[in-house]
Amino acid sequence: MLAIFQKCLAHPPEELNSPHAHGGIKKSAKQPQEILRDFHLYHPTASFSASFSGGAAIASAGADPRCSPLQQRLFCGLDEVYCIFVGRLDNLSSLIRQYGLCGKSSNEAVLVIEAYRTLRDRGPYPADQVVKDLIGSFAFVIFDNRVGSVFAALSEDGKIPLYWGIAAEGSVVISDDVDVIKGGCGKSFAPFPPGWLVLFCAGAGQVFVEMLMCVFGCSGCMFHSEGGLKSFERPMNKMKAMPRVDSEGAMCGAFFKVDSCAKISSMPRVGSAANWSSWEEKL
Amino acid sequence: MLALFEKSVAQSPEGLRSPAVGGQENDVHGVVALLQHFSEVKERSVTISLGSACALAYSSVKYSPLLPLLFAVVDDIFCLFEGHIENLPHLKQQYGLTKTANEAIIVIEAYRTLRDRGPYPADQVVRDIHGKFAFVLFDNTSKSTFIAVDADCGVPFFWGADSEDHLILSDDVDLVKKACGKSFAPFPKGCFFTTSKGLQSFEHPLNELKPVPRVDSRGEVCGATYKVDSETKKPSGMPRVGSAANWSNNY
């Protein structure tokens, strides 16, 4: 499975860029068409790719007869919303009832599309609540061609390997095959954090909301394009990008952790006699 | 909309290929070039290539709301549907689908029923769909295709064979002309095409189809239209013999 989104659709977090990418190893970051071509070469039979003129491309290697139902790959496209789903959902039947789909023709990919559509059109629950309801070990990427938004998530147990990286020209590449990512992004990639989701919404030609949220666990995080990376649990503390070092000893993307010492200043602490008129500028 | 099938998936019927290979300067040859030309010409286009067997491309702008273009992919079955189904609620109930199902989903479900259970023959399934439509369906698991138009061909739909014997289908006649030169024709109304059985008429399923060469305005042979031959019938399963015949030969 492979998904490539150009800069106009998705802005990757800056920390994914490895510092070496701007050096002599820039050649290792490939253009999206080359990554797609390499993907087809890796999987010559039963692979397909869909390219969208807005700057996105999705490819999948199709049903592998050797893989068990626990690791199945599903692709679905309905009403200009396309989803690649890898893995399984344990509570599929109750979710199908919840979203009002018919049991026999609904698989996990159809359900996830329906969940995304509900989130987009009606938004009864926030995005992390929707993903928290999905129980199982899974990874999925949804691309909405009508709105131009991207929604990707990985389940908490992280049994499905999912990686994301930055290819040439700042396009985001998401894949479950590490070789494809390495070939396409050079050093600027990292494992997708398990238990997190990322949502890029485009509107009026600009990416105006990007949310990187942790669904489970205590380190809830949100990445907003204006505010930078913030934690849900500790919104007043800054997030720190800790560099990952791969087996070759080179820096390779980053982890994000809450820095309990550095706080974001919100309300200025001054005595009651101070001049509060300067507070307006800080807001 | 554009669909391109390789020879192993869709054998173009005889008569569609014209012997005259008069090429124009702006002809587009090859799968990749045709897809690229499509994405240049149409805005907001989506191209899907399934290995070497099949390529689909569509763009949903510039379609009238009465005959929209829909695309759906479920379970490795890809369907491009253009048009409108009149008995939509009846078919939804017949195939057990929800209220969110659109025409492309119904066609996919009908094909899946036909493939897996086959309660009715294919011509009956297509005859059950009333309306003005044309659809192209590709099943990636068995690499087979199913193409049909309605009985009156309410939607413009053309097909042709290009120089590498790929079958090209589109609702845009210029696109088909560019790819196939002279070897194209309007898709015959009241017919459907499958990988296994080729072109059949669903109105007269037992009669053979005969290619009738078309002559275009320049007087050159340009593909063929297919007419139902009311004289020749396909050999049916039951042998007709007199009652005195020796029936033991048949067993």
Side-chain angles (χ1 to χ4, degrees), chain A residues 78-97:
Chain A
L78 283 179
D79 252 355
E80 302 217 46
V81 180
Y82 303 88
C83 165
I84 311 181
F85 186 95
V86 181
R88 68 168 208 281
L89 280 176
D90 291 332
N91 59 342
L92 184 65
S93 41
S94 65
L95 284 170
I96 286 176
R97 267 201 307 273

Side-chain angles (χ1 to χ4, degrees), chain A:
Chain A
M1 106 121 111
L2 173 67
I4 305 175
F5 303 107
Q6 307 238 349
K7 213 149 76 162
C8 48
L9 286 172
H11 279 167
E14 288 296 320
E15 289 82 356
L16 266 183
N17 254 318
S18 167
H20 292 295
H22 298 291
I25 321 185
K26 193 160 185 174
K27 287 184 227 151
S28 55
K30 290 199 186 140
Q31 297 283 341
Q33 283 80 18
E34 293 167 6
I35 305 181
L36 261 185
R37 212 182 44 218
D38 289 341
F39 183 85
H40 274 296
L41 287 174
Y42 276 135
H43 306 272
T45 58
S47 76
F48 77 90
S49 69
S51 321
F52 304 91
S53 63
I58 294 182
S60 175
D64 192 355
R66 288 168 295 149
C67 73
S68 60
L70 303 171
Q71 283 270 352
Q72 54 180 347
R73 285 199 182 104
L74 300 166
F75 176 75
C76 181
L78 283 179
D79 252 355
E80 302 217 46
V81 180
Y82 303 88
C83 165
I84 311 181
F85 186 95
V86 181
R88 68 168 208 281
L89 280 176
D90 291 332
N91 59 342
L92 184 65
S93 41
S94 65
L95 284 170
I96 286 176
R97 267 201 307 273
Q98 181 182 341
Y99 285 101
L101 300 170
C102 69
K104 64 178 168 75
S105 62
S106 304
N107 55 20
E108 281 91 340
V110 175
L111 179 86
V112 166
I113 287 185
E114 192 59 37
Y116 164 76
R117 260 208 301 213
T118 312
L119 177 66
R120 175 191 73 182
D121 300 337
R122 294 188 281 125
Y125 315 112
D128 60 326
Q129 191 75 28
V130 171
V131 181
K132 221 183 269 203
D133 274 342
L134 306 173
I135 301 173
S137 59
F138 58 86
F140 65 81
V141 177
I142 290 186
F143 173 62
D144 185 349
N145 195 21
R146 196 174 291 178
V147 175
S149 61
V150 178
F151 185 44
L154 180 62
S155 64
E156 185 192 29
D157 55 7
K159 288 214 183 104
I160 312 274
L162 191 68
Y163 303 90
W164 59 337
I166 303 179
E169 296 172 350
S171 32
V172 181
V173 182
I174 305 178
S175 173
D176 61 350
D177 189 352
V178 68
D179 299 315
V180 171
I181 286 263
K182 256 195 219 163
C185 307
K187 296 267 173 216
S188 305
F189 75 96
F192 198 93
W196 288 40
L197 66 90
V198 61
L199 174 63
F200 301 111
C201 310
Q206 285 176 334
V207 184
F208 65 83
V209 168
E210 298 158 14
M211 293 201 289
L212 179 62
M213 300 161 70
C214 179
V215 178
F216 304 100
C218 331
S219 54
C221 290
M222 198 164 88
F223 174 65
H224 198 279
S225 50
E226 280 113 48
L229 203 59
K230 262 197 215 172
S231 163
F232 270 159
E233 178 96 344
R234 317 261 198 102
M236 288 296 114
N237 291 38
K238 284 198 186 136
M239 297 292 299
K240 200 168 144 127
M242 317 246 308
R244 268 177 69 223
V245 178
D246 72 354
S247 50
E248 283 159 27
M251 262 226 347
C252 193
F255 283 131
F256 302 103
K257 286 216 181 283
V258 177
D259 189 355
S260 46
C261 302
K263 278 191 186 255
I264 302 172
S265 57
S266 56
M267 190 184 273
R269 304 269 180 198
V270 290
S272 40
N275 185 4
W276 282 67
S277 56
S278 58
W279 191 32
E280 299 275 298
E281 292 134 33
K282 287 203 188 140
L283 277 176

Side-chain angles (χ1 to χ4, degrees), chain B residues 118-141:
Chain B
Y120 314 112
D123 52 280
Q124 183 73 36
V125 171
V126 185
R127 228 180 301 163
D128 269 342
I129 308 176
H130 303 142
K132 288 184 181 176
F133 61 87
F135 67 80
V136 176
L137 191 146
F138 178 71
D139 184 356
N140 200 16
T141 40

